[in-house]
Amino acid sequence: MQSVGKIMKVFVTRRIPPEGMQILSSAAGVCEASVWDSDEPVSRAELLKGVQGAAGILCLLSDKIDAEVLNAAGPNLKVISTLSVGFDHLALDEIKKRGIRVGYTPDVLTDATAELTVALLLATARRLPEGVEEAKNGGWSTWKPLWLCGYGLSGSTVGIVGLGRIGMAIAQRLMPFGVKRLLYTGRNAKPHAAEVNGEFVPMDTLLSECDFIVISCSLTPETQGLCDKAFFTKMKNTAVFVNTSRGAVVNQEDLYEALKNGQIAAAGLDVTTPEPLPTNHPLFTLNNCVVLPHIGSATYSTRGIMSSLAARNLLAGLQGTDMPSELKV
């Protein structure tokens, strides 16, 4: 047990936005933060060294917090605060066994991720990266009736796999574009879907009827590799596929084949496996695939709020008070 009044050690696995660091600095009487002061991820060896004797860890998605890390931290570890909405990098069974509390940052990145998803969908469907490239490299000659034609949202049918917070925010932003029908699938029907006239349908119906398919589900054993050859085969060959959830939801080899063979029209990805995606990956050879470097929540405002929330979660965990956003493990 920590003795009352003892300043507790916390390890911050990355340089985080200043909003969070200011909160930790102002809590000097509670904790002393040791920071891996870099924009690049901490190495495994440095992570194991840094967490030794820590009462709290503030980590990112790229930090695998497993039994080895928990053992290295030792019995003083009270709280793990992750600067993310996702938590598949945390060994939750091990964490729960040890009675360690977990904080995360949902909700605050909903709007930014939804905006990015819409931007990626439009960029992919209307072939914006190709257009930019053609304008730059001299491919733009005279006006041609079918040159760089893509697909529009007006009058279309959109499908969302996973109508949670982010899925709903995406749907709300897409409807004003004149979307005709919004279909969604998931574990169960959602009452809030009525706000966007969402129709709860089986996966096969969604795949066969939709012009745009957006993946917005969390990564679970059921969704791992969900988007595979069978999935893409059921889609229209004019359909556009967008994933801003987790890379592992998609079988990238199957996606590559579907794009190359014209099984589907185009794909936009903000998440991949691994991250970063190697520059020699086959997906980068395709004109009909837009890959972004996981920037869903990348607005200055959102990252600042995430940083602040992660710091407040950490302090609450250290002091045994209610966390602003606790993951029940």
Side-chain angles (χ1 to χ4, degrees):
M1 291 286 288
Q2 297 279 353
S3 59
V4 177
K6 184 178 176 186
I7 292 177
M8 293 174 268
K9 174 188 170 179
V10 299
F11 184 62
V12 183
T13 66
R14 192 83 65 88
R15 191 185 294 153
I16 63 170
E19 292 87 339
M21 286 314 300
Q22 282 162 9
I23 288 168
L24 295 182
S25 301
S26 66
V30 177
C31 67
E32 186 179 348
S34 167
V35 183
W36 176 253
D37 194 17
S38 170
D39 286 331
E40 297 305 318
V42 63
S43 69
R44 185 70 177 176
E46 290 292 343
L47 175 62
L48 293 170
K49 189 171 138 192
V51 300
Q52 284 175 21
I57 300 171
L58 196 159
C59 65
L60 277 66
L61 264 179
S62 50
D63 306 312
K64 193 164 178 55
I65 308 296
D66 54 15
E68 187 183 22
V69 174
L70 302 176
N71 289 337
N76 284 339
L77 188 60
K78 295 168 173 275
V79 56
I80 296 163
S81 176
T82 181
L83 191 102
S84 65
V85 64
F87 43 83
D88 40 276
H89 56 305
L90 306 177
L92 292 180
D93 289 347
E94 281 292 332
I95 290 165
K96 185 178 181 180
K97 247 189 260 177
R98 300 166 196 238
I100 298 164
R101 294 172 72 190
V102 177
Y104 70 138
T105 60
D107 302 331
V108 297
L109 48 66
T110 298
D111 288 341
T113 305
E115 287 172 9
L116 187 279
T117 304
V118 174
L120 178 58
L121 187 152
L122 290 169
T124 305
R126 294 297 303 273
R127 302 170 67 178
L128 300 193
E130 279 183 85
V132 169
E133 199 49 45
E134 292 294 289
K136 274 187 193 174
N137 68 19
W140 181 13
S141 56
T142 185
W143 187 88
K144 304 180 190 111
L146 290 175
W147 186 58
L148 284 177
C149 281
Y151 299 92
L153 278 163
S154 183
S156 70
T157 299
V158 172
I160 298 182
V161 178
L163 199 70
R165 281 184 300 264
I166 294 174
M168 187 64 186
I170 293 165
Q172 288 165 335
R173 283 159 175 77
L174 288 176
M175 295 314 284
F177 282 92
V179 170
K180 190 175 171 189
R181 290 175 74 205
L182 184 112
L183 312 185
Y184 74 99
T185 191
R187 282 193 290 268
N188 42 47
K190 306 278 189 186
H192 57 246
E195 293 172 37
V196 288
N197 296 320
E199 303 169 43
F200 183 59
V201 297
M203 180 69 87
D204 282 5
T205 304
L206 183 141
L207 295 177
S208 63
E209 296 188 12
C210 288
D211 303 298
F212 300 90
I213 292 176
V214 179
I215 307 299
S216 187
C217 56
S218 50
L219 179 61
T220 65
E222 294 77 43
T223 61
Q224 177 110 18
L226 170 75
C227 307
D228 58 5
K229 185 177 180 180
F231 181 102
F232 297 121
T233 301
K234 291 169 185 164
M235 285 172 62
K236 296 180 178 182
N237 58 15
T238 53
V240 174
F241 173 85
V242 173
N243 182 23
T244 55
S245 62
R246 283 287 172 268
V249 173
V250 177
N251 180 316
Q252 288 172 176
E253 287 68 35
D254 290 353
L255 174 61
Y256 171 76
E257 291 300 328
L259 288 166
K260 192 180 71 153
N261 300 331
Q263 179 62 58
I264 65 173
L269 310 173
D270 185 44
V271 287
T272 58
T273 309
E275 291 182 0
L277 194 64
T279 54
N280 62 353
H281 194 281
L283 285 173
F284 284 124
T285 66
L286 301 172
N287 280 342
N288 58 346
C289 187
V290 178
V291 181
L292 298 179
H294 201 152
I295 53 170
S297 65
T299 66
Y300 290 111
S301 166
T302 299
R303 292 284 170 84
I305 294 166
M306 287 172 71
S307 178
S308 165
L309 179 55
R312 288 185 290 125
N313 282 338
L314 186 78
L315 290 177
L318 293 175
Q319 296 171 303
T321 57
D322 286 347
M323 282 186 192
S325 197
E326 183 166 7
L327 180 65
K328 298 298 181 187
V329 291

